[in-house]
């Protein structure tokens, strides 16, 4: 077990190194020049060249990679060519917004998915189930941007009960903050909820057909008890795993949602950085996100034996 | 059956279950029907044509329509340019302005984005300014300009009594350090070309500065409208520090992708330009529809510079007023790469010029808010405009066919070129598509290459890997000397995108020099007329049309006068 844990932890090092190579290489190989974006098209080539030189962009790519990696290992992800703020400063400003958005979107998704998925499974084949399937199908099919525009139009412009865009920080008041997040979180969470709902329905249907459910029913337990204590509890285990995966998709979805709703989060930050060829910011953020994924996966692997006593990592062969 | 175990109380008898289920179903169906009907009606309302604005005592500013009043010397403000002011506005308050992108630097001399020009104009003062309605260049920080020393020095007299936001006095030393900083090649300022005539900056005394030149340069005083005076103590690395100017508003903060906040400067020196607003918040919102929705919802007060195609819709909406700036500063042009075939041949360059249906473009894609008269950098109201350029290149497919054949590509055989457009600039693509269609009708359909803006700029300016690229570079309208001074189209320099050199058009450089350095207005007009005609003869880059700009604001905003070159002053704006 301890050998496995050590191996698993150590395997993160080459993974992160590979990640840094890919992130740096891909970012810097995008055609375009940040100096030209800064200088504008009306500036002389000399001026552009001077900006490139001052930003260290004249060095060969491998030299730039070595310098960057050295700085990263020292905890310095660099600074934006444009705003001149450090990447960590920019991330510190944007991450809470994206975290709030993703959390609220996940909450919206779960609040929609669990009751509807459960009811659809319990009443499989009923009008409700068919309706839920139809709604899920529509939810998966309609373009996200259309839903966003409709939400903005209805709630922001027509009824004027929620802001049509923009971000209100907690400093502006908790209510204002939540109001600015309702539409983006709903837009982001709705799409996810349809996937989660279908997944939960399918999982729950499997469980409801299991022998132990029949046994529980035979013991005289009420339908609610069977559902909540036996069926749903077991069906939620794989559901929770999918939820984790969906969180990743939610984070990816923030790029579009934050741009449309003008939220200054991570998605918009990385998009702006890529469009501006702000290499330091783009590589820094992508590396941070990638590292977070690697570490979360590691944590999940390490937690498996704790969560499920049947799992004994590294000893599978012996058990058999 | 097992599927239903959890859903119903097994102790409930069947009729009860059925009845409750029936009630729930009915409730859900009715509620759903009600919701669907409500949303449907609202959506139908949304899809219906917008209600036309009802005439009121104070009608919102209107666009001037298909034949807008033109620049460059309009005698007075047009209704389109000035917000109505029937009620006395109250001082104070916050103005929230939506802009299309975020700024990319805080450096006043390096940043080139229009969104930054709009902001910094209010933080810094400049020695001169261009009146947005008369287009005249007038003194601002300077009290006067005078050519002395046998027309080899421009003597600037400062108003005096001015100070920066940090309390330090603004003196001739600050003016010198600013001008020297911009002229310093290490700074990389786009303004360096504008200040090229300056050989030396001398401080005469705290309120007098002398700019040494070889001769009079008519572009110099207009160029000073772009020069933001920064404190000498701040040095030249101004990107890493909060801007300290002497303007009517102080810079407070920039939160990337969220906001830029300015606050009223209570001790602003110019009594005639005292700021009325307490704060201005600029919000970068990239999505056009979100920007418009925010305005209609009352979340922002102004949408600064938006797509002209949205103008008719917003003009019909009584919740907003639309301000349209007549065509002046922005022109649609095509960079043609003369370094390689096929555009090394004059006939092919002319074929591009004859291939665009300019009127159709302006009518269909600019909502009629542009000037289809091209071929000159100036609109037909500008004093330097040469009318003989008007009919030189028009839309004629037969002519395109003849020119293509004359160039050695009969029926387009052997032609090979592409049209390079950046993503996110629909008007460039629309022009390119019209050109593509025109050439398709003569036998060759050039592909349109749509690339991301960074790549587009690099291919035009660095690798020169392009054939045709449409652009609308804003040029200084304050004086033709500025228009022709720098940039990548008109000036035959190393930055020129198409490869124009002094030898490409014999007599062209001389005409430009004459126009820039003589003071007699009639002779200047002659010189610039020559330059324009020489241009259309050699046609290094066809000039297609001039474009209006549009802004939308809530009726509560008063005193807004849009600036055609984005040197926007908000001191007189109130709510």
């Amino acid at each position: 077990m301890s050998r496995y844990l050590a191996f698993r932890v150590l395997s993160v090092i080459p993974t992160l190194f590979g990640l840094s190579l890919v992130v740096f290489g891909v970012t810097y190989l995008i055609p375009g020049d940040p100096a030209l974006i800064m200088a504008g098209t009306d500036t002389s080539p000399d001026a552009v060249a001077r900006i490139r030189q001052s930003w260290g962009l004249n060095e060969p790519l491998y030299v730039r990679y070595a310098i960057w990696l050295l700085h990263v290992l020292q905890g310095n992800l660099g600074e934006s060519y444009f705003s001149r703020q450090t990447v960590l400063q920019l991330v510190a400003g944007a991450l809470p917004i994206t975290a709030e958005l993703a959390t609220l979107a996940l909450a919206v998704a779960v609040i929609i998915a669990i009751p509807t998925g459960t009811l659809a499974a319990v009443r499989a084949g009923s009008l409700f189930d068919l309706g839920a399937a139809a709604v899920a199908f529509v939810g998966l099919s309609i373009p996200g941007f259309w839903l966003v525009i409709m939400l903005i139009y209805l709630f922001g412009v027509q009824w004027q009960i929620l802001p049509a865009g923009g971000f209100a920080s907690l400093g502006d008041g908790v209510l204002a903050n939540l109001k600015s997040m309702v539409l983006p979180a709903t837009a982001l969470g709705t799409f996810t909820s349809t996937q989660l709902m279908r997944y939960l329905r399918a999982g729950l249907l499997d469980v409801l057909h299991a022998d132990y459910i029949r046994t529980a029913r035979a013991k005289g337990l009420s339908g609610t008890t069977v559902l909540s204590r036996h069926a749903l509890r077991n069906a939620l285990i794989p559901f929770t795993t999918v939820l984790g995966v969906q969180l990743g998709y939610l984070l990816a979805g923030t790029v579009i949602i934050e741009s449309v709703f003008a939220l200054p989060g991570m998605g918009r930050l990385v998009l702006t950085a890529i469009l501006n060829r702000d290499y330091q910011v783009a590589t820094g953020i992508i590396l941070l996100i990638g590292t977070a994924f690697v570490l979360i996966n590691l944590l999940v692997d390490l937690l498996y034996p704790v969560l499920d006593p049947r799992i004994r990592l590294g000893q599978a062969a012996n058990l058999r | 059956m097992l599927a239903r175990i959890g859903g119903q109380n097994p102790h409930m008898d069947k009729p009860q279950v059925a009845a409750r289920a029936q009630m729930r179903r009915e409730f859900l169906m009715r509620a759903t029907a009600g919701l669907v009907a409500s949303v449907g009606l609202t959506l139908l309302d949304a899809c219906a044509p917008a209600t036309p604005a009802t005439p009121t005592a104070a009608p919102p500013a209107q666009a001037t329509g298909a034949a807008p009043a033109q620049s460059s010397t309009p005698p007075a403000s047009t209704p389109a340019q000035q917000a109505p002011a029937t009620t006395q506005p109250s001082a104070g308050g916050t103005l929230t302005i939506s802009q299309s992108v975020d700024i990319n630097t805080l450096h006043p001399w390096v940043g080139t984005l229009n969104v930054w020009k709009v902001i910094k104009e209010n933080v810094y003062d400049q020695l001169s300014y261009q009146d947005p309605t008369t287009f005249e260049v007038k003194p601002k920080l300077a009290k006067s300009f005078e050519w002395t020393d046998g027309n080899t020095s421009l003597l600037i007299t400062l108003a005096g009594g001015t100070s920066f936001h940090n309390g330090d006095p603004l003196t001739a030393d600050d003016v010198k350090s600013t001008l020297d900083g911009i002229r310093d090649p290490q700074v990389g300022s786009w303004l360096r070309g504008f200040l090229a005539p300056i050989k030396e900056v001398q401080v005469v005394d705290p309120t007098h500065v002398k700019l040494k030149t070889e001769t009079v340069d008519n572009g110099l005083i207009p160029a000073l409208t772009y020069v933001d005076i920064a404190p000498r103590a701040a040095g030249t690395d101004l990107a890493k520090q909060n801007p300290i100017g002497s303007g009517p508003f102080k810079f407070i903060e920039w939160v990337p992708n969220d906001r830029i906040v300015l606050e009223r400067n209570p001790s602003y020196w110019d009594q005639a330009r005292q700021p009325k607003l307490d704060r201005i918040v600029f919000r970068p919102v990239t999505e056009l529809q979100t920007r418009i929705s925010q305005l209609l919802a009352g979340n922002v007060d102004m949408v600064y510079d938006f797509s002209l195609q949205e103008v008719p819709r917003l003009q019909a909406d009584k919740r907003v007023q639309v301000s349209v700036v007549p065509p002046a500063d922005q022109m649609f042009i095509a960079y043609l790469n003369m370094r390689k075939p096929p555009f090394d041949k004059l006939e092919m360059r002319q074929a591009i010029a004859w291939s665009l249906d300019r009127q159709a473009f302006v009518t269909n894609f600019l909502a009629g808010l542009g000037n289809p008269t091209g071929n000159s950098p100036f609109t037909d109201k500008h004093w330097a405009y040469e009318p003989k350029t008007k009919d030189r290149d028009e839309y004629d497919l037969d002519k395109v066919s003849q020119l293509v054949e004359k160039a050695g590509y009969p029926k387009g055989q052997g032609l090979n070129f592409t049209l390079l457009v950046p993503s996110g600039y629909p008007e460039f693509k629309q022009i390119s598509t019209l050109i593509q269609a025109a050439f398709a009708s003569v036998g060759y359909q050039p592909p349109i290459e749509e690339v991301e803006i960074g790549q587009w700029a690099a291919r035009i300016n660095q690798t020169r890997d392009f054939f045709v690229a449409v652009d609308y570079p804003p040029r200084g309208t304050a004086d033709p000397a500025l228009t022709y001074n720098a940039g990548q189209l008109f000036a035959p320099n190393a930055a020129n995108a198409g490869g124009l050199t002094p030898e490409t058009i014999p007599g062209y450089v001389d005409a430009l020099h004459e126009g820039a350095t003589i003071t007699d207005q009639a002779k200047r007009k002659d010189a610039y007329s020559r330059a324009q005609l020489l241009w259309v003869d050699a046609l290094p880059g066809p000039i297609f049309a001039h474009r209006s700009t549009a802004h939308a604001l809530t009726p509560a905003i008063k005193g807004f006068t849009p600036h055609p070159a984005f040197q926007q002053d908000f001191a007189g704006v109130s709510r």
Side-chain angles (χ1 to χ4, degrees):
Chain A
M1 180 72 175
S2 56
R3 276 183 62 197
Y4 171 79
L5 289 179
F7 171 77
R8 193 65 189 81
V9 171
L10 287 174
S11 70
V12 166
I13 295 171
T15 308
L16 288 178
F17 179 71
L19 178 71
S20 75
L21 261 176
V22 171
V23 167
F24 187 89
V26 169
T27 310
Y28 276 80
L29 287 176
I30 303 172
D33 184 350
L36 201 54
I37 290 169
M38 166 60 82
T41 51
D42 260 5
T43 311
S44 72
D46 286 353
V48 177
R50 278 183 203 100
I51 293 174
R52 296 188 93 251
Q53 192 177 8
S54 68
W55 288 349
L57 295 171
N58 287 341
E59 302 290 341
L61 201 59
Y62 66 89
V63 174
R64 277 188 270 162
Y65 174 72
I67 294 170
W68 175 76
L69 191 62
L70 197 66
H71 287 157
V72 168
L73 290 173
Q74 294 166 348
N76 175 12
L77 291 173
E79 69 172 25
S80 164
Y81 297 137
F82 298 94
S83 72
R84 302 292 284 269
Q85 294 185 34
T86 66
V87 174
L88 290 177
Q89 276 178 317
L90 290 168
V91 168
L95 186 60
I97 295 161
T98 299
E100 184 185 357
L101 175 61
T103 307
L104 289 174
L106 202 62
V108 168
V110 168
I111 288 168
I112 296 173
I114 289 184
T116 48
T118 306
L119 264 179
V122 167
R123 299 188 177 181
S126 68
L127 199 61
F128 179 86
D129 183 30
L130 292 174
V135 169
F137 180 73
V138 171
L140 284 170
S141 307
I142 58 169
F145 65 86
W146 184 86
L147 177 67
V148 167
I149 289 170
M150 282 299 111
L151 285 174
I152 290 176
Y153 178 76
L154 291 174
F155 291 92
V157 178
Q158 199 64 22
W159 299 328
Q160 299 200 356
I161 51 178
L162 291 167
F167 175 68
S169 68
L170 284 170
D172 300 320
V174 176
L175 188 64
N177 170 261
L178 283 176
K179 281 175 87 172
S180 73
M181 281 294 185
V182 169
L183 289 185
T186 306
L188 195 56
T190 303
F191 180 77
T192 309
S193 73
T194 56
Q195 292 172 308
L196 289 177
M197 185 186 80
R198 299 307 295 164
Y199 194 85
L200 180 62
R201 179 189 175 277
L204 199 53
L205 273 179
D206 284 346
V207 172
L208 287 172
H209 285 91
D211 290 342
Y212 66 89
I213 296 293
R214 189 180 295 117
T215 307
R217 287 286 303 119
K219 282 162 68 180
L221 292 177
S222 72
T224 313
T225 309
V226 170
L227 179 68
S228 61
R229 293 191 57 184
H230 295 280
L232 202 53
R233 222 169 166 179
N234 283 300
L236 281 179
I237 293 172
F239 176 83
T240 310
T241 310
V242 174
L243 210 61
V245 176
Q246 287 296 324
L247 188 63
Y249 288 113
L250 279 176
L251 287 172
T254 60
V255 174
I256 295 167
I257 292 293
E258 286 176 359
S259 292
V260 174
F261 283 98
L263 300 175
M266 292 282 280
R268 202 162 165 218
L269 184 64
V270 77
L271 181 67
T272 312
I274 290 170
L275 289 178
N276 280 341
R277 302 294 185 272
D278 200 346
Y279 297 132
Q280 305 261 18
V281 177
T283 49
I285 292 173
I286 297 170
L287 185 72
L288 277 178
I289 293 171
T291 306
F293 267 90
V294 170
L295 294 179
I296 287 169
N297 274 328
L298 173 69
L299 194 67
V300 169
D301 277 3
L302 298 182
L303 280 177
Y304 266 136
V306 180
L307 294 172
D308 190 341
R310 290 171 300 176
I311 300 171
R312 289 287 177 269
L313 296 170
Q315 296 174 20
N318 296 342
L319 286 173
R320 280 178 198 148
Chain B
M1 284 302 290
L2 278 173
R4 289 184 175 270
I5 285 175
Q8 292 172 5
N9 183 344
H11 302 291
M12 196 184 282
D13 60 29
K14 281 186 178 176
Q16 275 182 309
V17 173
R20 286 201 175 187
Q22 182 66 23
M23 283 172 68
R24 276 201 299 273
R25 272 192 206 116
E26 274 184 22
F27 171 76
L28 284 170
M29 283 171 70
R30 285 179 184 180
T32 308
L35 189 66
V36 167
S38 166
V39 171
L41 285 172
T42 313
L43 287 178
L44 278 174
D45 185 39
C47 296
T51 313
T54 41
T56 62
Q62 298 288 320
T64 45
Q70 302 245 343
S71 61
S72 121
T73 53
S77 64
T78 64
Q81 283 180 283
Q82 245 173 356
T86 50
T87 54
Q88 188 61 37
S90 57
T94 299
L95 181 74
T96 306
I97 300 169
S98 163
Q99 293 190 305
S100 58
V101 291
D102 199 6
I103 61 173
N104 60 14
T105 183
L106 290 175
H107 203 308
W109 312 329
V110 174
T112 55
L113 296 179
N114 284 337
V115 289
W116 178 223
K117 282 184 197 165
V118 169
I119 296 167
K120 71 190 176 85
E121 183 76 13
N122 296 277
V123 175
Y124 293 95
D125 273 323
Q126 303 75 32
L127 292 166
S128 57
Y129 79 102
Q130 187 184 21
D131 188 297
T133 52
T134 65
F135 277 41
E136 281 179 59
V137 175
K138 299 174 177 174
K140 192 175 183 182
L141 261 181
K143 201 159 67 180
S144 66
F145 297 99
E146 185 188 357
W147 284 99
T148 61
D149 302 339
N151 283 343
T152 59
S153 299
L154 179 66
L155 181 67
I156 302 171
T157 305
L158 299 176
T162 57
S163 58
F164 289 107
H165 297 150
N166 61 4
D168 293 346
L170 190 158
T171 67
D173 284 332
D174 301 302
V175 174
K176 176 179 164 54
S177 70
T178 294
L179 293 171
D180 286 344
I182 291 171
R183 294 165 63 231
D184 180 356
Q186 298 302 321
V187 172
S189 172
W190 66 282
L191 292 164
R192 188 163 170 256
F194 282 4
L195 302 187
I198 300 175
K199 301 300 167 200
E200 190 189 353
V201 181
Q202 295 175 350
V203 173
V204 179
D205 61 46
T207 56
H208 289 87
V209 185
K210 197 178 266 189
L211 311 186
K212 302 292 288 182
T213 61
E214 282 180 357
T215 181
V216 166
D217 192 290
N218 296 308
L220 196 50
I221 298 173
L224 297 176
T225 62
Y226 294 95
V227 174
D228 302 304
I229 305 300
R232 186 176 61 156
T236 56
D237 189 12
L238 300 173
K240 210 167 183 175
Q241 46 191 307
N242 282 351
I244 298 171
S246 60
F249 290 92
K250 296 178 182 179
F251 177 91
I252 300 299
E253 64 173 344
W254 171 29
V255 180
N257 287 323
D258 188 31
R259 63 184 181 272
I260 298 107
V261 181
L262 308 184
E263 210 166 78
R264 195 167 75 93
N265 175 10
S267 50
Y268 187 55
W269 61 275
D270 188 349
Q271 290 306 310
R273 245 182 106 223
Q274 287 298 309
K276 295 186 172 73
L277 295 161
D278 287 333
R279 287 164 78 89
I280 308 176
V281 179
F282 295 90
R283 296 253 184 210
V285 182
T286 47
E287 289 298 317
L288 173 64
Q289 291 311 322
T290 307
R291 300 179 72 201
I292 291 172
S293 294
Q294 284 185 302
L295 181 72
L296 295 176
N299 302 138
V300 300
D301 302 303
M302 183 185 293
V303 173
Y304 197 92
D305 189 22
F306 64 95
S307 166
L308 293 172
Q309 284 186 301
E310 298 290 340
V311 169
R313 173 162 80 100
L314 287 178
Q315 280 179 327
D317 196 314
K318 59 188 174 187
R319 289 171 290 186
V320 296
Q321 51 180 328
V322 178
S323 180
V324 176
V325 188
D329 199 52
Q330 289 192 318
M331 72 195 91
F332 288 102
I333 53 95
Y335 303 125
L336 301 178
N337 196 339
M338 297 187 292
R339 300 174 187 86
K340 59 183 179 182
F343 297 108
D344 55 344
K345 291 186 176 168
L346 172 64
E347 292 83 4
M348 279 304 298
R349 301 199 293 273
Q350 290 172 329
I352 291 285
W354 286 88
S355 67
L356 181 70
D357 188 344
R358 300 160 197 215
Q359 185 61 60
F361 168 69
V362 170
T363 303
N364 297 317
F365 296 116
L366 300 184
L369 300 170
N371 184 349
T373 308
N375 305 331
S376 167
F378 313 108
T379 63
D380 51 9
K381 294 289 188 289
H382 195 286
W383 64 265
Y385 174 70
E386 172 48 63
K388 286 180 192 161
T389 58
K390 185 184 175 189
D391 301 323
R392 290 296 294 268
D393 302 309
E394 289 178 312
Y395 176 57
D396 188 335
L397 290 181
D398 290 337
K399 185 83 175 173
V400 174
S401 183
Q402 289 165 17
L403 287 165
V404 167
E405 189 165 345
K406 199 174 168 188
Y409 306 102
K411 297 192 188 316
Q413 287 171 5
L415 260 184
N416 180 27
F417 71 90
T418 61
L419 299 151
L420 187 67
V421 298
S423 301
Y425 291 78
E427 288 156 354
F428 296 2
K429 192 168 181 182
Q430 288 150 4
I431 289 179
S432 299
T433 305
L434 290 172
I435 294 174
Q436 181 190 47
F439 270 84
S441 71
V442 301
Y444 175 70
Q445 182 167 322
I448 293 177
E449 284 186 87
E450 189 166 357
V451 297
E452 196 270 314
I453 182 72
Q455 192 182 350
W456 179 84
R459 285 180 61 176
I460 291 172
N461 292 279
Q462 286 180 336
T463 61
R464 312 291 194 192
D465 174 25
F466 76 101
F467 292 94
V468 184
V470 176
D471 192 8
Y472 55 71
R475 304 299 311 130
T477 53
D479 193 277
L482 275 191
T483 308
Y484 285 111
N485 177 294
Q488 53 190 9
L489 182 65
F490 298 115
N493 57 26
N496 193 278
L500 181 68
T501 64
E503 294 75 33
T504 309
I505 315 175
Y508 177 69
V509 173
D510 294 337
L512 296 188
H513 182 73
E514 201 177 315
T517 54
I518 55 177
T519 51
D520 184 289
Q521 187 74 353
K523 286 182 180 171
R524 289 193 74 200
K525 182 169 170 47
D526 283 347
Y528 286 123
S529 290
R530 273 205 324 275
Q532 288 167 72
L533 291 171
L534 286 168
W535 180 270
V536 289
D537 283 344
L539 211 60
I543 304 163
F544 292 128
H546 291 81
R547 180 187 188 275
S548 300
T549 48
H551 318 284
L553 51 157
T554 58
I557 307 304
K558 310 293 179 193
F560 173 68
T561 306
H563 197 287
F566 299 95
Q567 292 165 297
Q568 187 62 53
D569 182 7
F570 286 105
V573 176
S574 61
R575 55 173 309 148

